[in-house]
PDB file of all heavy atoms in Angstrom:
ATOM      1  N   SER A   1      10.497   0.775  -1.394  1.00 98.00           N
ATOM      2  CA  SER A   1      10.601  -0.157  -2.516  1.00 98.00           C
ATOM      3  C   SER A   1      11.894  -0.006  -3.309  1.00 98.00           C
ATOM      4  O   SER A   1      12.335  -0.953  -3.967  1.00 98.00           O
ATOM      5  CB  SER A   1       9.407   0.027  -3.462  1.00 98.00           C
ATOM      6  OG  SER A   1       8.194  -0.285  -2.816  1.00 98.00           O
ATOM      7  N   ASP A   2      12.520   1.188  -3.250  1.00 97.00           N
ATOM      8  CA  ASP A   2      13.757   1.404  -4.011  1.00 97.00           C
ATOM      9  C   ASP A   2      15.009   1.129  -3.180  1.00 97.00           C
ATOM     10  O   ASP A   2      16.131   1.349  -3.642  1.00 97.00           O
ATOM     11  CB  ASP A   2      13.805   2.823  -4.578  1.00 97.00           C
ATOM     12  CG  ASP A   2      13.776   3.902  -3.501  1.00 97.00           C
ATOM     13  OD1 ASP A   2      13.515   3.564  -2.323  1.00 97.00           O
ATOM     14  OD2 ASP A   2      14.006   5.081  -3.834  1.00 97.00           O
ATOM     15  N   ASP A   3      14.842   0.641  -1.963  1.00 98.00           N
ATOM     16  CA  ASP A   3      15.984   0.311  -1.110  1.00 98.00           C
ATOM     17  C   ASP A   3      16.655  -0.964  -1.619  1.00 98.00           C
ATOM     18  O   ASP A   3      15.986  -1.881  -2.115  1.00 98.00           O
ATOM     19  CB  ASP A   3      15.499   0.110   0.326  1.00 98.00           C
ATOM     20  CG  ASP A   3      16.631   0.124   1.343  1.00 98.00           C
ATOM     21  OD1 ASP A   3      17.467  -0.803   1.315  1.00 98.00           O
ATOM     22  OD2 ASP A   3      16.685   1.052   2.168  1.00 98.00           O
ATOM     23  N   LEU A   4      17.975  -1.048  -1.509  1.00 97.00           N
ATOM     24  CA  LEU A   4      18.691  -2.253  -1.935  1.00 97.00           C
ATOM     25  C   LEU A   4      18.182  -3.498  -1.200  1.00 97.00           C
ATOM     26  O   LEU A   4      18.167  -4.598  -1.756  1.00 97.00           O
ATOM     27  CB  LEU A   4      20.198  -2.087  -1.690  1.00 97.00           C
ATOM     28  CG  LEU A   4      20.936  -1.121  -2.617  1.00 97.00           C
ATOM     29  CD1 LEU A   4      22.389  -0.975  -2.184  1.00 97.00           C
ATOM     30  CD2 LEU A   4      20.866  -1.607  -4.069  1.00 97.00           C
ATOM     31  N   MET A   5      17.753  -3.320   0.060  1.00 97.00           N
ATOM     32  CA  MET A   5      17.250  -4.449   0.831  1.00 97.00           C
ATOM     33  C   MET A   5      15.916  -4.974   0.300  1.00 97.00           C
ATOM     34  O   MET A   5      15.481  -6.072   0.675  1.00 97.00           O
ATOM     35  CB  MET A   5      17.085  -4.037   2.297  1.00 97.00           C
ATOM     36  CG  MET A   5      18.387  -3.789   3.021  1.00 97.00           C
ATOM     37  SD  MET A   5      19.330  -5.316   3.260  1.00 97.00           S
ATOM     38  CE  MET A   5      18.309  -6.145   4.485  1.00 97.00           C
ATOM     39  N   SER A   6      15.259  -4.221  -0.577  1.00 97.00           N
ATOM     40  CA  SER A   6      13.933  -4.596  -1.071  1.00 97.00           C
ATOM     41  C   SER A   6      13.974  -5.367  -2.377  1.00 97.00           C
ATOM     42  O   SER A   6      12.936  -5.894  -2.811  1.00 97.00           O
ATOM     43  CB  SER A   6      13.077  -3.331  -1.264  1.00 97.00           C
ATOM     44  OG  SER A   6      12.951  -2.604  -0.063  1.00 97.00           O
ATOM     45  N   ARG A   7      15.117  -5.453  -2.992  1.00 96.00           N
ATOM     46  CA  ARG A   7      15.199  -6.059  -4.331  1.00 96.00           C
ATOM     47  C   ARG A   7      14.674  -7.496  -4.339  1.00 96.00           C
ATOM     48  O   ARG A   7      15.045  -8.317  -3.519  1.00 96.00           O
ATOM     49  CB  ARG A   7      16.638  -6.041  -4.835  1.00 96.00           C
ATOM     50  CG  ARG A   7      17.085  -4.665  -5.275  1.00 96.00           C
ATOM     51  CD  ARG A   7      18.432  -4.699  -5.962  1.00 96.00           C
ATOM     52  NE  ARG A   7      18.829  -3.379  -6.416  1.00 96.00           N
ATOM     53  CZ  ARG A   7      19.998  -3.117  -6.995  1.00 96.00           C
ATOM     54  NH1 ARG A   7      20.873  -4.085  -7.170  1.00 96.00           N
ATOM     55  NH2 ARG A   7      20.280  -1.886  -7.368  1.00 96.00           N
ATOM     56  N   GLY A   8      13.780  -7.754  -5.289  1.00 95.00           N
ATOM     57  CA  GLY A   8      13.218  -9.079  -5.444  1.00 95.00           C
ATOM     58  C   GLY A   8      12.044  -9.377  -4.537  1.00 95.00           C
ATOM     59  O   GLY A   8      11.407 -10.431  -4.679  1.00 95.00           O
ATOM     60  N   GLU A   9      11.730  -8.478  -3.606  1.00 95.00           N
ATOM     61  CA  GLU A   9      10.650  -8.725  -2.644  1.00 95.00           C
ATOM     62  C   GLU A   9       9.487  -7.745  -2.778  1.00 95.00           C
ATOM     63  O   GLU A   9       8.484  -7.890  -2.084  1.00 95.00           O
ATOM     64  CB  GLU A   9      11.187  -8.649  -1.214  1.00 95.00           C
ATOM     65  CG  GLU A   9      12.186  -9.736  -0.857  1.00 95.00           C
ATOM     66  CD  GLU A   9      11.548 -11.115  -0.797  1.00 95.00           C
ATOM     67  OE1 GLU A   9      10.302 -11.200  -0.695  1.00 95.00           O
ATOM     68  OE2 GLU A   9      12.283 -12.111  -0.870  1.00 95.00           O
ATOM     69  N   VAL A  10       9.601  -6.780  -3.651  1.00 95.00           N
ATOM     70  CA  VAL A  10       8.574  -5.741  -3.767  1.00 95.00           C
ATOM     71  C   VAL A  10       7.275  -6.344  -4.300  1.00 95.00           C
ATOM     72  O   VAL A  10       7.244  -6.921  -5.389  1.00 95.00           O
ATOM     73  CB  VAL A  10       9.049  -4.589  -4.675  1.00 95.00           C
ATOM     74  CG1 VAL A  10       7.926  -3.575  -4.894  1.00 95.00           C
ATOM     75  CG2 VAL A  10      10.271  -3.914  -4.080  1.00 95.00           C
ATOM     76  N   GLY A  11       6.216  -6.230  -3.501  1.00 92.00           N
ATOM     77  CA  GLY A  11       4.897  -6.683  -3.937  1.00 92.00           C
ATOM     78  C   GLY A  11       4.695  -8.182  -3.959  1.00 92.00           C
ATOM     79  O   GLY A  11       3.660  -8.655  -4.432  1.00 92.00           O
ATOM     80  N   LYS A  12       5.623  -8.960  -3.404  1.00 90.00           N
ATOM     81  CA  LYS A  12       5.535 -10.414  -3.550  1.00 90.00           C
ATOM     82  C   LYS A  12       4.549 -11.059  -2.575  1.00 90.00           C
ATOM     83  O   LYS A  12       3.881 -12.023  -2.920  1.00 90.00           O
ATOM     84  CB  LYS A  12       6.927 -11.031  -3.360  1.00 90.00           C
ATOM     85  CG  LYS A  12       7.882 -10.760  -4.517  1.00 90.00           C
ATOM     86  CD  LYS A  12       7.406 -11.442  -5.788  1.00 90.00           C
ATOM     87  CE  LYS A  12       8.287 -11.137  -6.987  1.00 90.00           C
ATOM     88  NZ  LYS A  12       9.618 -11.737  -6.870  1.00 90.00           N
ATOM     89  N   VAL A  13       4.472 -10.607  -1.340  1.00 88.00           N
ATOM     90  CA  VAL A  13       3.564 -11.243  -0.374  1.00 88.00           C
ATOM     91  C   VAL A  13       2.488 -10.268   0.110  1.00 88.00           C
ATOM     92  O   VAL A  13       1.757 -10.561   1.048  1.00 88.00           O
ATOM     93  CB  VAL A  13       4.341 -11.813   0.835  1.00 88.00           C
ATOM     94  CG1 VAL A  13       5.291 -12.893   0.389  1.00 88.00           C
ATOM     95  CG2 VAL A  13       5.103 -10.715   1.576  1.00 88.00           C
ATOM     96  N   GLY A  14       2.383  -9.152  -0.536  1.00 90.00           N
ATOM     97  CA  GLY A  14       1.402  -8.137  -0.169  1.00 90.00           C
ATOM     98  C   GLY A  14       1.640  -6.910  -1.019  1.00 90.00           C
ATOM     99  O   GLY A  14       2.483  -6.901  -1.923  1.00 90.00           O
ATOM    100  N   VAL A  15       0.924  -5.858  -0.713  1.00 94.00           N
ATOM    101  CA  VAL A  15       1.026  -4.641  -1.511  1.00 94.00           C
ATOM    102  C   VAL A  15       2.201  -3.792  -1.026  1.00 94.00           C
ATOM    103  O   VAL A  15       2.472  -3.706   0.167  1.00 94.00           O
ATOM    104  CB  VAL A  15      -0.297  -3.844  -1.459  1.00 94.00           C
ATOM    105  CG1 VAL A  15      -0.679  -3.479  -0.046  1.00 94.00           C
ATOM    106  CG2 VAL A  15      -0.232  -2.591  -2.312  1.00 94.00           C
ATOM    107  N   ALA A  16       2.909  -3.189  -1.961  1.00 95.00           N
ATOM    108  CA  ALA A  16       4.050  -2.322  -1.654  1.00 95.00           C
ATOM    109  C   ALA A  16       3.554  -0.910  -1.372  1.00 95.00           C
ATOM    110  O   ALA A  16       2.941  -0.273  -2.232  1.00 95.00           O
ATOM    111  CB  ALA A  16       5.027  -2.308  -2.833  1.00 95.00           C
ATOM    112  N   ILE A  17       3.829  -0.427  -0.157  1.00 97.00           N
ATOM    113  CA  ILE A  17       3.440   0.932   0.230  1.00 97.00           C
ATOM    114  C   ILE A  17       4.666   1.641   0.797  1.00 97.00           C
ATOM    115  O   ILE A  17       5.190   1.248   1.845  1.00 97.00           O
ATOM    116  CB  ILE A  17       2.323   0.933   1.285  1.00 97.00           C
ATOM    117  CG1 ILE A  17       1.054   0.282   0.741  1.00 97.00           C
ATOM    118  CG2 ILE A  17       2.035   2.352   1.771  1.00 97.00           C
ATOM    119  CD1 ILE A  17       0.361   1.061  -0.347  1.00 97.00           C
ATOM    120  N   SER A  18       5.125   2.670   0.096  1.00 98.00           N
ATOM    121  CA  SER A  18       6.263   3.458   0.567  1.00 98.00           C
ATOM    122  C   SER A  18       5.919   4.912   0.830  1.00 98.00           C
ATOM    123  O   SER A  18       6.635   5.583   1.575  1.00 98.00           O
ATOM    124  CB  SER A  18       7.403   3.402  -0.467  1.00 98.00           C
ATOM    125  OG  SER A  18       7.886   2.091  -0.651  1.00 98.00           O
ATOM    126  N   SER A  19       4.847   5.393   0.230  1.00 98.00           N
ATOM    127  CA  SER A  19       4.574   6.832   0.266  1.00 98.00           C
ATOM    128  C   SER A  19       3.091   7.101   0.436  1.00 98.00           C
ATOM    129  O   SER A  19       2.243   6.206   0.271  1.00 98.00           O
ATOM    130  CB  SER A  19       5.051   7.481  -1.043  1.00 98.00           C
ATOM    131  OG  SER A  19       4.236   7.036  -2.125  1.00 98.00           O
ATOM    132  N   LEU A  20       2.774   8.348   0.700  1.00 98.00           N
ATOM    133  CA  LEU A  20       1.379   8.774   0.759  1.00 98.00           C
ATOM    134  C   LEU A  20       0.710   8.581  -0.594  1.00 98.00           C
ATOM    135  O   LEU A  20      -0.469   8.207  -0.668  1.00 98.00           O
ATOM    136  CB  LEU A  20       1.300  10.233   1.209  1.00 98.00           C
ATOM    137  CG  LEU A  20      -0.092  10.856   1.325  1.00 98.00           C
ATOM    138  CD1 LEU A  20      -1.008  10.020   2.204  1.00 98.00           C
ATOM    139  CD2 LEU A  20       0.000  12.287   1.840  1.00 98.00           C
ATOM    140  N   GLU A  21       1.441   8.803  -1.649  1.00 97.00           N
ATOM    141  CA  GLU A  21       0.898   8.584  -2.990  1.00 97.00           C
ATOM    142  C   GLU A  21       0.478   7.133  -3.167  1.00 97.00           C
ATOM    143  O   GLU A  21      -0.585   6.839  -3.739  1.00 97.00           O
ATOM    144  CB  GLU A  21       1.939   8.964  -4.041  1.00 97.00           C
ATOM    145  CG  GLU A  21       1.461   8.802  -5.477  1.00 97.00           C
ATOM    146  CD  GLU A  21       2.537   9.196  -6.474  1.00 97.00           C
ATOM    147  OE1 GLU A  21       3.564   8.460  -6.571  1.00 97.00           O
ATOM    148  OE2 GLU A  21       2.377  10.222  -7.152  1.00 97.00           O
ATOM    149  N   ASP A  22       1.295   6.192  -2.691  1.00 97.00           N
ATOM    150  CA  ASP A  22       0.938   4.774  -2.781  1.00 97.00           C
ATOM    151  C   ASP A  22      -0.361   4.488  -2.042  1.00 97.00           C
ATOM    152  O   ASP A  22      -1.239   3.774  -2.536  1.00 97.00           O
ATOM    153  CB  ASP A  22       2.049   3.900  -2.177  1.00 97.00           C
ATOM    154  CG  ASP A  22       3.296   3.823  -3.037  1.00 97.00           C
ATOM    155  OD1 ASP A  22       3.199   4.078  -4.246  1.00 97.00           O
ATOM    156  OD2 ASP A  22       4.369   3.497  -2.486  1.00 97.00           O
ATOM    157  N   MET A  23      -0.506   5.027  -0.830  1.00 96.00           N
ATOM    158  CA  MET A  23      -1.703   4.762  -0.043  1.00 96.00           C
ATOM    159  C   MET A  23      -2.935   5.394  -0.679  1.00 96.00           C
ATOM    160  O   MET A  23      -4.023   4.800  -0.663  1.00 96.00           O
ATOM    161  CB  MET A  23      -1.515   5.260   1.391  1.00 96.00           C
ATOM    162  CG  MET A  23      -2.630   4.847   2.337  1.00 96.00           C
ATOM    163  SD  MET A  23      -2.791   3.058   2.525  1.00 96.00           S
ATOM    164  CE  MET A  23      -1.948   2.798   4.081  1.00 96.00           C
ATOM    165  N   GLU A  24      -2.777   6.573  -1.248  1.00 97.00           N
ATOM    166  CA  GLU A  24      -3.902   7.205  -1.948  1.00 97.00           C
ATOM    167  C   GLU A  24      -4.352   6.346  -3.122  1.00 97.00           C
ATOM    168  O   GLU A  24      -5.553   6.203  -3.377  1.00 97.00           O
ATOM    169  CB  GLU A  24      -3.500   8.592  -2.437  1.00 97.00           C
ATOM    170  CG  GLU A  24      -3.351   9.625  -1.333  1.00 97.00           C
ATOM    171  CD  GLU A  24      -2.910  10.973  -1.873  1.00 97.00           C
ATOM    172  OE1 GLU A  24      -1.816  11.057  -2.465  1.00 97.00           O
ATOM    173  OE2 GLU A  24      -3.656  11.943  -1.698  1.00 97.00           O
ATOM    174  N   THR A  25      -3.395   5.768  -3.839  1.00 95.00           N
ATOM    175  CA  THR A  25      -3.730   4.907  -4.974  1.00 95.00           C
ATOM    176  C   THR A  25      -4.434   3.640  -4.500  1.00 95.00           C
ATOM    177  O   THR A  25      -5.429   3.202  -5.084  1.00 95.00           O
ATOM    178  CB  THR A  25      -2.454   4.532  -5.746  1.00 95.00           C
ATOM    179  OG1 THR A  25      -1.811   5.727  -6.197  1.00 95.00           O
ATOM    180  CG2 THR A  25      -2.769   3.647  -6.939  1.00 95.00           C
ATOM    181  N   LEU A  26      -3.929   3.034  -3.429  1.00 94.00           N
ATOM    182  CA  LEU A  26      -4.519   1.810  -2.902  1.00 94.00           C
ATOM    183  C   LEU A  26      -5.979   2.010  -2.500  1.00 94.00           C
ATOM    184  O   LEU A  26      -6.829   1.142  -2.738  1.00 94.00           O
ATOM    185  CB  LEU A  26      -3.717   1.341  -1.687  1.00 94.00           C
ATOM    186  CG  LEU A  26      -4.248   0.098  -0.965  1.00 94.00           C
ATOM    187  CD1 LEU A  26      -4.054  -1.144  -1.833  1.00 94.00           C
ATOM    188  CD2 LEU A  26      -3.555  -0.080   0.377  1.00 94.00           C
ATOM    189  N   LEU A  27      -6.285   3.166  -1.893  1.00 93.00           N
ATOM    190  CA  LEU A  27      -7.621   3.415  -1.345  1.00 93.00           C
ATOM    191  C   LEU A  27      -8.518   4.225  -2.270  1.00 93.00           C
ATOM    192  O   LEU A  27      -9.613   4.624  -1.870  1.00 93.00           O
ATOM    193  CB  LEU A  27      -7.488   4.135   0.004  1.00 93.00           C
ATOM    194  CG  LEU A  27      -6.713   3.379   1.085  1.00 93.00           C
ATOM    195  CD1 LEU A  27      -6.553   4.250   2.321  1.00 93.00           C
ATOM    196  CD2 LEU A  27      -7.389   2.066   1.436  1.00 93.00           C
ATOM    197  N   ARG A  28      -8.082   4.449  -3.483  1.00 93.00           N
ATOM    198  CA  ARG A  28      -8.858   5.265  -4.424  1.00 93.00           C
ATOM    199  C   ARG A  28     -10.251   4.649  -4.664  1.00 93.00           C
ATOM    200  O   ARG A  28     -10.370   3.455  -4.982  1.00 93.00           O
ATOM    201  CB  ARG A  28      -8.117   5.386  -5.751  1.00 93.00           C
ATOM    202  CG  ARG A  28      -8.768   6.350  -6.742  1.00 93.00           C
ATOM    203  CD  ARG A  28      -7.907   6.491  -7.994  1.00 93.00           C
ATOM    204  NE  ARG A  28      -7.715   5.192  -8.630  1.00 93.00           N
ATOM    205  CZ  ARG A  28      -6.525   4.724  -9.023  1.00 93.00           C
ATOM    206  NH1 ARG A  28      -5.425   5.436  -8.829  1.00 93.00           N
ATOM    207  NH2 ARG A  28      -6.435   3.549  -9.595  1.00 93.00           N
ATOM    208  N   ASP A  29     -11.280   5.448  -4.452  1.00 90.00           N
ATOM    209  CA  ASP A  29     -12.682   5.060  -4.673  1.00 90.00           C
ATOM    210  C   ASP A  29     -13.161   3.975  -3.706  1.00 90.00           C
ATOM    211  O   ASP A  29     -14.229   3.383  -3.911  1.00 90.00           O
ATOM    212  CB  ASP A  29     -12.906   4.577  -6.120  1.00 90.00           C
ATOM    213  CG  ASP A  29     -12.552   5.639  -7.147  1.00 90.00           C
ATOM    214  OD1 ASP A  29     -12.801   6.823  -6.869  1.00 90.00           O
ATOM    215  OD2 ASP A  29     -12.019   5.279  -8.211  1.00 90.00           O
ATOM    216  N   ILE A  30     -12.400   3.696  -2.646  1.00 89.00           N
ATOM    217  CA  ILE A  30     -12.862   2.782  -1.596  1.00 89.00           C
ATOM    218  C   ILE A  30     -13.666   3.610  -0.583  1.00 89.00           C
ATOM    219  O   ILE A  30     -13.188   4.639  -0.110  1.00 89.00           O
ATOM    220  CB  ILE A  30     -11.676   2.100  -0.884  1.00 89.00           C
ATOM    221  CG1 ILE A  30     -10.837   1.285  -1.872  1.00 89.00           C
ATOM    222  CG2 ILE A  30     -12.171   1.233   0.270  1.00 89.00           C
ATOM    223  CD1 ILE A  30     -11.504   0.067  -2.438  1.00 89.00           C
ATOM    224  N   PRO A  31     -14.887   3.208  -0.236  1.00 88.00           N
ATOM    225  CA  PRO A  31     -15.719   4.010   0.671  1.00 88.00           C
ATOM    226  C   PRO A  31     -15.261   3.883   2.122  1.00 88.00           C
ATOM    227  O   PRO A  31     -15.781   3.065   2.891  1.00 88.00           O
ATOM    228  CB  PRO A  31     -17.119   3.422   0.457  1.00 88.00           C
ATOM    229  CG  PRO A  31     -16.868   1.994   0.047  1.00 88.00           C
ATOM    230  CD  PRO A  31     -15.596   2.016  -0.742  1.00 88.00           C
ATOM    231  N   LEU A  32     -14.312   4.706   2.518  1.00 91.00           N
ATOM    232  CA  LEU A  32     -13.703   4.587   3.842  1.00 91.00           C
ATOM    233  C   LEU A  32     -14.709   4.819   4.966  1.00 91.00           C
ATOM    234  O   LEU A  32     -14.516   4.317   6.083  1.00 91.00           O
ATOM    235  CB  LEU A  32     -12.530   5.557   3.974  1.00 91.00           C
ATOM    236  CG  LEU A  32     -11.359   5.364   2.997  1.00 91.00           C
ATOM    237  CD1 LEU A  32     -10.220   6.298   3.367  1.00 91.00           C
ATOM    238  CD2 LEU A  32     -10.890   3.929   2.977  1.00 91.00           C
ATOM    239  N   LYS A  33     -15.778   5.563   4.700  1.00 88.00           N
ATOM    240  CA  LYS A  33     -16.812   5.770   5.728  1.00 88.00           C
ATOM    241  C   LYS A  33     -17.599   4.489   6.002  1.00 88.00           C
ATOM    242  O   LYS A  33     -18.141   4.302   7.081  1.00 88.00           O
ATOM    243  CB  LYS A  33     -17.793   6.860   5.292  1.00 88.00           C
ATOM    244  CG  LYS A  33     -17.275   8.285   5.424  1.00 88.00           C
ATOM    245  CD  LYS A  33     -18.399   9.249   5.087  1.00 88.00           C
ATOM    246  CE  LYS A  33     -17.942  10.694   5.206  1.00 88.00           C
ATOM    247  NZ  LYS A  33     -19.035  11.646   4.876  1.00 88.00           N
ATOM    248  N   GLN A  34     -17.660   3.611   5.013  1.00 87.00           N
ATOM    249  CA  GLN A  34     -18.523   2.437   5.100  1.00 87.00           C
ATOM    250  C   GLN A  34     -17.761   1.145   5.391  1.00 87.00           C
ATOM    251  O   GLN A  34     -18.321   0.211   5.966  1.00 87.00           O
ATOM    252  CB  GLN A  34     -19.298   2.268   3.790  1.00 87.00           C
ATOM    253  CG  GLN A  34     -20.139   3.470   3.405  1.00 87.00           C
ATOM    254  CD  GLN A  34     -20.645   3.373   1.979  1.00 87.00           C
ATOM    255  OE1 GLN A  34     -20.835   2.285   1.441  1.00 87.00           O
ATOM    256  NE2 GLN A  34     -20.875   4.520   1.348  1.00 87.00           N
ATOM    257  N   VAL A  35     -16.496   1.093   4.977  1.00 87.00           N
ATOM    258  CA  VAL A  35     -15.731  -0.147   5.053  1.00 87.00           C
ATOM    259  C   VAL A  35     -14.879  -0.166   6.317  1.00 87.00           C
ATOM    260  O   VAL A  35     -14.234   0.822   6.672  1.00 87.00           O
ATOM    261  CB  VAL A  35     -14.828  -0.298   3.803  1.00 87.00           C
ATOM    262  CG1 VAL A  35     -13.880  -1.476   3.957  1.00 87.00           C
ATOM    263  CG2 VAL A  35     -15.684  -0.477   2.566  1.00 87.00           C
ATOM    264  N   SER A  36     -14.876  -1.310   6.992  1.00 89.00           N
ATOM    265  CA  SER A  36     -13.943  -1.533   8.094  1.00 89.00           C
ATOM    266  C   SER A  36     -12.675  -2.139   7.513  1.00 89.00           C
ATOM    267  O   SER A  36     -12.716  -3.194   6.880  1.00 89.00           O
ATOM    268  CB  SER A  36     -14.564  -2.483   9.126  1.00 89.00           C
ATOM    269  OG  SER A  36     -13.614  -2.852  10.096  1.00 89.00           O
ATOM    270  N   THR A  37     -11.550  -1.463   7.705  1.00 91.00           N
ATOM    271  CA  THR A  37     -10.290  -1.874   7.084  1.00 91.00           C
ATOM    272  C   THR A  37      -9.368  -2.509   8.119  1.00 91.00           C
ATOM    273  O   THR A  37      -9.087  -1.919   9.162  1.00 91.00           O
ATOM    274  CB  THR A  37      -9.580  -0.665   6.450  1.00 91.00           C
ATOM    275  OG1 THR A  37     -10.446  -0.076   5.470  1.00 91.00           O
ATOM    276  CG2 THR A  37      -8.286  -1.091   5.784  1.00 91.00           C
ATOM    277  N   SER A  38      -8.921  -3.704   7.822  1.00 89.00           N
ATOM    278  CA  SER A  38      -7.973  -4.401   8.693  1.00 89.00           C
ATOM    279  C   SER A  38      -6.622  -4.442   7.998  1.00 89.00           C
ATOM    280  O   SER A  38      -6.517  -4.898   6.861  1.00 89.00           O
ATOM    281  CB  SER A  38      -8.454  -5.825   8.977  1.00 89.00           C
ATOM    282  OG  SER A  38      -7.503  -6.538   9.738  1.00 89.00           O
ATOM    283  N   MET A  39      -5.588  -3.935   8.684  1.00 92.00           N
ATOM    284  CA  MET A  39      -4.254  -3.888   8.091  1.00 92.00           C
ATOM    285  C   MET A  39      -3.305  -4.806   8.853  1.00 92.00           C
ATOM    286  O   MET A  39      -3.082  -4.632  10.055  1.00 92.00           O
ATOM    287  CB  MET A  39      -3.725  -2.457   8.079  1.00 92.00           C
ATOM    288  CG  MET A  39      -4.526  -1.522   7.189  1.00 92.00           C
ATOM    289  SD  MET A  39      -3.726   0.070   6.874  1.00 92.00           S
ATOM    290  CE  MET A  39      -4.064   0.923   8.405  1.00 92.00           C
ATOM    291  N   THR A  40      -2.780  -5.808   8.137  1.00 91.00           N
ATOM    292  CA  THR A  40      -1.833  -6.747   8.742  1.00 91.00           C
ATOM    293  C   THR A  40      -0.452  -6.120   8.683  1.00 91.00           C
ATOM    294  O   THR A  40       0.274  -6.236   7.688  1.00 91.00           O
ATOM    295  CB  THR A  40      -1.859  -8.088   7.997  1.00 91.00           C
ATOM    296  OG1 THR A  40      -3.189  -8.605   8.028  1.00 91.00           O
ATOM    297  CG2 THR A  40      -0.935  -9.090   8.649  1.00 91.00           C
ATOM    298  N   ILE A  41      -0.082  -5.452   9.761  1.00 95.00           N
ATOM    299  CA  ILE A  41       1.181  -4.729   9.814  1.00 95.00           C
ATOM    300  C   ILE A  41       1.566  -4.572  11.281  1.00 95.00           C
ATOM    301  O   ILE A  41       0.694  -4.398  12.139  1.00 95.00           O
ATOM    302  CB  ILE A  41       1.068  -3.360   9.103  1.00 95.00           C
ATOM    303  CG1 ILE A  41       2.438  -2.741   8.874  1.00 95.00           C
ATOM    304  CG2 ILE A  41       0.116  -2.426   9.831  1.00 95.00           C
ATOM    305  CD1 ILE A  41       3.301  -3.449   7.865  1.00 95.00           C
TER     306      ILE A  41
END
């Protein structure tokens, strides 16, 4: 997200994920054992 190529596009068409910390925040309190997660990537 801090790359010069990212300016103006961060979070615009989806969630910004750059680090493990970001992914932990995204999935916080989501029941990963119960939910089927589909990632468009």
Side-chain angles (χ1 to χ4, degrees):
S1 297
D2 61 349
D3 195 293
L4 288 175
M5 291 292 290
S6 302
R7 285 189 178 177
E9 294 292 342
V10 175
K12 288 294 177 68
V13 297
V15 58
I17 298 292
S18 298
S19 68
L20 180 53
E21 181 180 69
D22 287 338
M23 188 62 100
E24 288 178 299
T25 301
L26 177 70
L27 300 175
R28 187 176 59 228
D29 301 324
I30 300 292
L32 299 187
K33 283 186 180 180
Q34 303 168 28
V35 172
S36 172
T37 301
S38 176
M39 295 193 282
T40 302
I41 193 69

